Amino acid sequence: MLGHCQVLVHRGTDYYDTAAWRGTWAADGGGVLMTQAIHNIDLLQWFLGEPVEVSAKAGAFVLGDSIEVEDTAAALITFASGAVATVSATVAASPSLGSRIVVTGSNRATVNVTE
Protein backbone atom coordinates (compact mmCIF):
# COMPACT_ATOMS: atom_id res chain seq x y z
CA MET A 1 0.00 0.00 0.00
CA LEU A 2 2.98 2.32 0.60
CA GLY A 3 6.48 2.54 -0.78
CA HIS A 4 9.51 4.75 -0.75
CA CYS A 5 12.61 4.72 -2.92
CA GLN A 6 15.54 6.87 -1.82
CA VAL A 7 18.85 7.27 -3.64
CA LEU A 8 21.24 9.72 -2.00
CA VAL A 9 24.64 9.47 -3.65
CA HIS A 10 27.52 11.82 -4.34
CA ARG A 11 28.87 12.50 -7.79
CA GLY A 12 31.00 15.63 -7.78
CA THR A 13 32.04 17.74 -10.73
CA ASP A 14 35.24 15.67 -10.98
CA TYR A 15 33.10 12.61 -11.77
CA TYR A 16 31.40 14.41 -14.66
CA ASP A 17 34.62 16.05 -15.88
CA THR A 18 36.41 12.70 -16.35
CA ALA A 19 34.13 11.68 -19.24
CA ALA A 20 32.56 14.21 -21.61
CA TRP A 21 29.43 12.08 -22.14
CA ARG A 22 28.50 12.03 -18.45
CA GLY A 23 25.69 14.37 -17.51
CA THR A 24 24.46 14.86 -21.08
CA TRP A 25 21.04 14.11 -22.51
CA ALA A 26 22.50 12.70 -25.73
CA ALA A 27 24.83 10.11 -24.22
CA ASP A 28 23.67 9.59 -20.62
CA GLY A 29 19.97 9.64 -21.50
CA GLY A 30 19.11 11.44 -18.29
CA GLY A 31 20.44 12.33 -14.87
CA VAL A 32 20.04 10.79 -11.44
CA LEU A 33 16.83 8.95 -12.35
CA MET A 34 18.30 7.28 -15.42
CA THR A 35 21.86 6.65 -14.27
CA GLN A 36 21.69 6.09 -10.52
CA ALA A 37 18.10 5.38 -9.42
CA ILE A 38 16.69 3.39 -12.35
CA HIS A 39 17.18 -0.06 -10.80
CA ASN A 40 15.70 1.02 -7.47
CA ILE A 41 12.65 2.47 -9.23
CA ASP A 42 12.32 -0.75 -11.23
CA LEU A 43 12.37 -2.78 -7.99
CA LEU A 44 9.78 -0.47 -6.43
CA GLN A 45 7.56 -1.09 -9.45
CA TRP A 46 8.12 -4.84 -9.13
CA PHE A 47 6.81 -4.66 -5.56
CA LEU A 48 3.86 -2.31 -6.19
CA GLY A 49 2.81 -2.91 -9.79
CA GLU A 50 2.06 -0.70 -12.75
CA PRO A 51 2.27 3.06 -12.15
CA VAL A 52 -0.73 5.01 -13.39
CA GLU A 53 0.01 8.55 -12.20
CA VAL A 54 3.21 10.46 -11.46
CA SER A 55 3.73 13.93 -10.09
CA ALA A 56 7.35 15.05 -9.96
CA LYS A 57 9.88 17.85 -9.77
CA ALA A 58 13.43 17.56 -11.02
CA GLY A 59 16.28 19.87 -11.84
CA ALA A 60 20.00 20.53 -11.84
CA PHE A 61 19.85 22.32 -8.51
CA VAL A 62 23.48 21.82 -7.47
CA LEU A 63 25.48 20.73 -10.53
CA GLY A 64 23.75 22.89 -13.14
CA ASP A 65 27.01 24.49 -14.23
CA SER A 66 28.56 21.06 -14.87
CA ILE A 67 25.74 18.91 -16.29
CA GLU A 68 22.68 19.38 -18.48
CA VAL A 69 20.56 16.62 -16.88
CA GLU A 70 18.84 16.56 -13.48
CA ASP A 71 20.94 16.08 -10.35
CA THR A 72 17.92 15.87 -8.03
CA ALA A 73 14.36 14.57 -8.38
CA ALA A 74 11.35 13.86 -6.20
CA ALA A 75 8.10 12.15 -7.19
CA LEU A 76 4.80 10.84 -5.91
CA ILE A 77 3.60 7.76 -7.78
CA THR A 78 0.16 6.14 -7.71
CA PHE A 79 -0.06 2.52 -8.83
CA ALA A 80 -2.90 0.58 -10.45
CA SER A 81 -3.21 -1.43 -7.23
CA GLY A 82 -4.02 1.79 -5.35
CA ALA A 83 -0.64 1.84 -3.63
CA VAL A 84 1.29 5.09 -3.42
CA ALA A 85 5.04 5.68 -3.25
CA THR A 86 7.54 8.47 -3.08
CA VAL A 87 10.86 8.63 -4.88
CA SER A 88 13.67 10.94 -3.88
CA ALA A 89 17.02 10.84 -5.62
CA THR A 90 20.09 13.00 -5.88
CA VAL A 91 23.72 12.80 -6.95
CA ALA A 92 24.39 15.90 -4.85
CA ALA A 93 24.35 14.27 -1.39
CA SER A 94 27.45 14.74 0.69
CA PRO A 95 28.36 12.34 2.04
CA SER A 96 26.91 9.64 -0.14
CA LEU A 97 24.30 7.75 1.89
CA GLY A 98 23.47 5.00 -0.60
CA SER A 99 19.99 3.85 -1.43
CA ARG A 100 17.01 2.11 0.10
CA ILE A 101 13.56 0.89 -0.75
CA VAL A 102 10.86 0.56 1.90
CA VAL A 103 7.55 -1.15 1.15
CA THR A 104 4.65 -1.57 3.57
CA GLY A 105 1.90 -3.96 2.52
CA SER A 106 -1.79 -3.88 3.35
CA ASN A 107 -1.06 -6.53 6.00
CA ARG A 108 1.20 -3.95 7.75
CA ALA A 109 4.37 -5.94 7.01
CA THR A 110 7.28 -3.71 6.07
CA VAL A 111 10.33 -4.60 3.98
CA ASN A 112 13.44 -2.40 4.05
CA VAL A 113 16.00 -3.05 1.31
CA THR A 114 19.18 -0.99 1.71
CA GLU A 115 22.34 -0.75 -0.32
Side-chain angles (χ1 to χ4, degrees):
M1 69 173 181
L2 179 65
H4 181 66
C5 170
Q6 185 177 44
V7 178
L8 304 174
V9 297
H10 178 77
R11 299 289 184 266
T13 55
D14 55 332
Y15 171 82
Y16 293 100
D17 291 344
T18 59
W21 59 269
R22 289 183 177 158
T24 66
W25 285 110
D28 236 355
V32 66
L33 294 175
M34 189 66 179
T35 62
Q36 306 298 324
I38 190 68
H39 298 297
N40 299 72
I41 294 168
D42 185 46
L43 185 56
L44 184 70
Q45 183 179 333
W46 184 80
F47 281 124
L48 298 177
E50 188 67 26
V52 294
E53 185 179 357
V54 177
S55 176
K57 176 71 176 172
F61 301 111
V62 177
L63 298 168
D65 292 338
S66 301
I67 62 175
E68 59 187 51
V69 295
E70 83 281 355
D71 60 30
T72 303
L76 174 63
I77 304 170
T78 304
F79 295 86
S81 65
V84 293
T86 59
V87 173
S88 57
T90 187
V91 291
S94 186
S96 184
L97 298 175
S99 64
R100 72 184 205 153
I101 298 170
V102 179
V103 176
T104 302
S106 58
N107 64 354
R108 302 182 196 159
T110 300
V111 176
N112 184 16
V113 180
T114 60
E115 181 183 314

